[in-house]
Amino acid sequence: QPSEEISELLKGILGEAFRAYDIDSDGNLNKKEFKIFLSDFHESISSRAVDEVFADFDSDGSGTIEYDEFIAACYVLITKASGTDDGLRTSRRATVIVGEKILQDDDGGEEEEEEEVPEDLTALSPEDQQRAIIRRAFSMLIIGTGIVLIFSDPMVEVLSEIAARANIPPF
């Protein structure tokens, strides 16, 4: 369970999302609505995994996920997806396992999508790659800004002259 402060923060952020997934507007998520939520969070989750996760998060056994249970579920998903288990203790290992179930395929794991790195940067360490990519991005930004500054004023004059010769009035 998240701390009271984190819970309040998540409630402020996720209230609208909960209402969006609560299709029948009864204030709870049934299994079908919860499956839609999980599918949006993780594209390929099996029905069996949905059943297991639903049972784990339906802490009162009501057969629906209430708002507080939804907040707890989102907390687990967020902490597991970001790789931070700050607030989780070993006694909450079951909750972490639930997050792992959601983030895995039925085959026991999902291959991570490889990020495409420009060929000339592949020999560099990840930190050096990041620096080089950031440097390249800023240089492209500066060049683009320079081009706009150099050509924008003359282009305005050229277009104004074309408009004048074509008898098109200015705005």
Side-chain angles (χ1 to χ4, degrees), residues 42 44 100-112:
H42 180 71
S44 59
E100 289 171 352
K101 285 180 196 171
I102 293 171
L103 295 174
Q104 288 181 350
D105 272 343
D106 293 337
D107 301 349
E110 172 177 330
E111 290 184 31
E112 284 191 32

Side-chain angles (χ1 to χ4, degrees), residues 145-154:
T145 303
I147 290 171
V148 167
L149 291 174
I150 291 169
F151 289 107
S152 64
D153 194 41

